[in-house]
Amino acid sequence: MNNNHYDVIYIGSGHAAWHGALILNQMKKRVAIIEKDKISGTCTNYGCNPKILLEGPFEAVESLQHYKDIVKNTPQIDWSKLMEYKQQTIRPLHKGLESIFESQGIDIIKGEGILKDNHTVNVGDTDYKAKYIVIATGQRSNELDIEGKELTHNSTDFLDLIEFPKRITFLGGGFVSIEFASIAAKMGSEVSVVVHSDKVLKPYHQPYVKKLIEKLEAEGVKFYFNIDVTKLENIENGLKLSDDKAFQLETDYVVDATGRIPNVENIGLDQIGIDYDKHGIKVNKYMQTNIPNIYASGDVVNKKIPKLTPTATFESNYIALNILGRDADMKKFPLKALKLIPIKYPAIPNVVYSLPRIAHVGMSVEEAERKPGYKVKTVKFGEQLEFQYKHEREAEMKVVLDSRNRLKGAVIYGSAADDLINILTIIINKKMSGREVNKMIFAFPSASSGVIQLIGMHMLGVDINL
Ligand SMILES: Cc1cc2nc3c(=O)[nH]c(=O)nc-3n(C[C@H](O)[C@H](O)[C@H](O)COP(=O)(O)OP(=O)(O)OC[C@H]3O[C@@H](n4cnc5c(N)ncnc54)[C@H](O)[C@@H]3O)c2cc1C
Ligand SMILES: NC(=O)c1ccc[n+]([C@@H]2O[C@H](COP(=O)([O-])OP(=O)(O)OC[C@H]3O[C@@H](n4cnc5c(N)ncnc54)[C@H](O)[C@@H]3O)[C@@H](O)[C@H]2O)c1
């Protein structure tokens, strides 16, 4: 076989690509991954992984603060040591993954992939051919078009900060701003969050967002709402941010966290006629673009569901199975059937990794309140399970139950929300009844055992808000 001919070529090497690439490789397909930057994409190198690693010590400090009458003296975090640890841990990851892929027989092609026709991707001066192509080029940070925009930084810069600034400002009220502001507040910086609307974390349950804002404000974070910044300039002692009206803010470091935009430019979409818009590449229910042998996966897709690592992974796996189904011969009928199954997303948990976290899954409280027959129950588990839940009295959740008391959705405020939400996601996806939930035994006295018990009681119709 010609060396440059593949069954499947991926453009991009993030979660939207490599999970499926490994499946196809295992199933004896010849696979190549084209990557212009570090192998394994945003999450591993510039997103989830470095973020959660840097956040670890701050989370530990936050837990200790729940015992402030008992544990004296808040520990100080040495940012430069923490950054050193982050670099040592994160920097080798892409090389590690690269060698795993290569040892499995997946070809890694370094460079910028550009579609030339329905079966050809060009990298540098070489053309690579494939029966199927998966576009998985992800997103990049938005850059606000303001005067002095070159003085702003993005999330990647923040995650590489060597020295923590005394004053730091985040533009935007989304995930990145709120997660990073939680860290910055604990570094003792003067932290500002400047938002162009009157809300932060719009998709989240606003009463819990309000609780989080109040908590961050108590730690010194200043929120500025309804401000459309237009200018950032150097001044004698730092930077000055302003709008066209009276807003002025002096700071030392500005993070533009006003969202991410799909990488749809310069990859040959117009040349070969693939449909896309500013929200990403358009796909059908099989994740195919309007050219059927070319798929799109992950953040680059124009989709209503959240652009997250687990959704990118889910799509990557789905596409691999769809390709296997299309290629299967009739003797392997079960595989053939795979190509006919449209993608169907289960309930998708979302977490803001703030301190504390906010998480949600399934039907929102707001939708449930409008829907006849649905109930919303508030479970004040921080108060009810004080000793199990490590003194975090303000931790709370709201669960959405349908007319048969099945769990349909939940929103959680509290430090363990990121793990608890996964358990609730299983209950929702498995459509478990209250009886089924109550038939299981969990380790005690863990936080999750208490929470599941409380929810299990609600699902049996027993209201046990003590
Ligand atoms: C700061 C931050 C924190 C985040 N935290 C979380 C979190 O906690 N949980 C979560 O679920 N999600 C989080 N995300 C989102 C998550 O990182 C993305 O949803 C995920 O990485 C999407 O995967 P992907 O493969 O679609 O895209 P990416 O991981 O962005 O991969 C795309 C790859 O394609 C490459 N590429 C682009 N164009 C070309 C080309 N022409 N040729 C070759 N290669 C190309 C890029 O270099 C990149 O490596 C975070 C994101 C950021 C920025
Ligand atoms: N925990 C997680 O899962 C996690 C964490 C970080 C990032 N992410 C992913 O990365 C994406 C990017 O995060 P983000 O926080 O940058 O984006 P975001 O979409 O969450 O928030 C963007 C913020 O910027 C504001 N904004 C948008 N346009 C603006 C403009 N022109 N002027 C001023 N403000 C403007 C929005 O109102 C919003 O408050 C997320 O949507 C998510 O997909 C996920």
Side-chain angles (χ1 to χ4, degrees), residues 12 14-16 35-36 41-43 48 51 111 113 136-138 267 299 308-310:
H15 284 273
E35 175 57 62
K36 64 175 182 177
T42 304
C43 181
C48 338
K51 171 193 78 184
T137 49
I267 53 171
D299 276 11
L308 298 171
T309 292

Side-chain angles (χ1 to χ4, degrees), residues 224-236:
Y224 299 92
F225 292 101
N226 300 309
I227 303 287
D228 258 315
V229 294
T230 50
K231 189 173 175 185
L232 180 63
E233 61 195 304
N234 276 311
I235 53 168
E236 200 181 330

Side-chain angles (χ1 to χ4, degrees), residues 8 14 64:
V8 187
L64 284 180

Side-chain angles (χ1 to χ4, degrees), residues 301-308 311-312 314-315 343 345-346 348:
V301 174
N302 174 334
K303 57 185 176 186
K304 292 216 161 57
I305 60 142
K307 293 190 174 186
L308 298 171
T311 53
F314 188 83
E315 287 158 11
I343 191 161
Y345 296 93
I348 301 167

Side-chain angles (χ1 to χ4, degrees), residues 120-165:
T120 312
V121 188
N122 170 266
V123 183
D125 47 18
T126 311
D127 284 346
Y128 298 88
K129 299 260 177 204
K131 184 170 180 189
Y132 301 106
I133 295 168
V134 183
I135 306 170
T137 49
Q139 299 193 104
R140 62 182 182 281
S141 297
N142 182 44
E143 195 185 57
L144 270 190
D145 193 14
I146 57 170
E147 197 181 328
K149 62 183 175 195
E150 64 285 354
L151 299 171
T152 62
H153 298 270
N154 61 23
S155 56
T156 302
D157 300 327
F158 177 89
L159 293 169
D160 265 338
L161 260 179
I162 301 294
E163 228 176 277
F164 212 89

